[in-house]
Amino acid sequence: EDPITVTRAESIEDLLKVSDVVSLHTLLDESTKHLINAERLNVMKKDAVLVNAARGPIVDEVALVAHLKAHP
């Protein structure tokens, strides 16, 4: 069995590029509103799973709907 390894990401974009699952658990304030926006959705893997367990506006819902329509 392979050992578990950890790599620290330098940015959210770097993390999103390599993640199979992204689970959000953050407070909502001006610095986290639309944390996941169109640009960040576009760097995620095609088959990645996004779970928003935080407040709704952490994810830009307009950008999410547009992204899902463009990538069914």
Side-chain angles (χ1 to χ4, degrees):
E1 185 173 314
D2 291 335
I4 296 172
T5 61
V6 175
T7 303
R8 185 178 185 94
E10 294 297 321
S11 68
I12 293 173
E13 290 76 15
D14 290 343
L15 180 67
L16 294 173
K17 288 177 188 176
V18 299
S19 297
D20 295 319
V21 177
V22 177
S23 185
L24 304 171
H25 304 266
T26 187
L27 61 89
L28 175 61
D29 64 18
E30 284 305 310
S31 70
T32 60
K33 183 176 180 183
H34 294 174
L35 180 69
I36 302 298
N37 56 24
E39 292 79 20
R40 289 182 172 155
L41 288 167
N42 284 322
V43 300
M44 292 178 71
K45 290 181 173 183
K46 181 180 178 179
D47 59 349
V49 175
L50 176 63
V51 177
N52 184 11
R55 300 298 298 236
I58 299 295
V59 177
D60 180 347
E61 292 180 357
V62 172
L64 178 62
V65 169
H67 184 80
L68 292 172
K69 285 182 177 179
H71 304 91

